[in-house]
Amino acid sequence: MSNIEITLNGEARQLSVEDGTPLLWVLREQLAMMGTKFGCGVGLCGACTVHLDGNPVRSCSYPAQLANGRKVTTIEGLAPSDEELHPVQQAWLEMNTPQCGYCQSGQIMSAAALLANNNSPDDSEIDAAMSGNLCRCGTYPRIRKAIHRAAALIATDQADAPAEESQA
Ligand code: FES
Ligand code: FES
């Protein structure tokens, strides 16, 4: 067993974890973060994607003890507040992106990580960043459109930010 401390969605959490236990099971079973899904269990489908210090990781294949001292963000913690969605979530709603929904929290986490590093990806950059997230319902065209829409929402927010500051 290892005692670890992680910052989960902005809150410090202390945990005791069995060595080698995947982060996914700690999130779902110890921390009740059920939005992160189990798909393949071997790092191939992306359903279990969360952010570790802002980067996407496959939590089914990531030993929880290696998250010690790091920031973990799940779909439950992606929105900036209870009143405001993350631009990727907003775009997903506008584009009616999900079908069955099972893969979508992983898709959203991968898309948010992509846009944090590249706020204007083209189709090939989107396809490359999202290639590890599989969708058995085939929502890929809507995912791509939603990522372009989220990029536009982020650009609008950034354009508005200085004006808001100057009015303050
Ligand atoms: S469940 Fe983790 S990649 Fe498939
Ligand atoms: S929406 Fe059904 S698996 Fe992707």
Side-chain angles (χ1 to χ4, degrees), residues 8-11 33 35-36 50-51 72-82 84-86 89 109:
L8 175 68
N9 298 333
E11 253 182 55
M33 293 290 126
T36 305
V50 300
H51 293 177
V72 179
T73 306
T74 66
I75 190 74
E76 291 88 347
L78 188 65
S81 72
D82 287 348
E84 191 184 353
L85 293 174
H86 186 282
Q89 294 169 312
M109 296 309 283

Side-chain angles (χ1 to χ4, degrees), residues 31-60:
L31 296 165
M33 293 290 126
M34 305 302 275
T36 305
K37 302 301 184 199
F38 172 74
C40 64
V42 290
L44 295 175
C45 76
C48 64
T49 304
V50 300
H51 293 177
L52 195 63
D53 292 336
N55 297 310
V57 296
R58 305 298 188 231
S59 62
C60 71

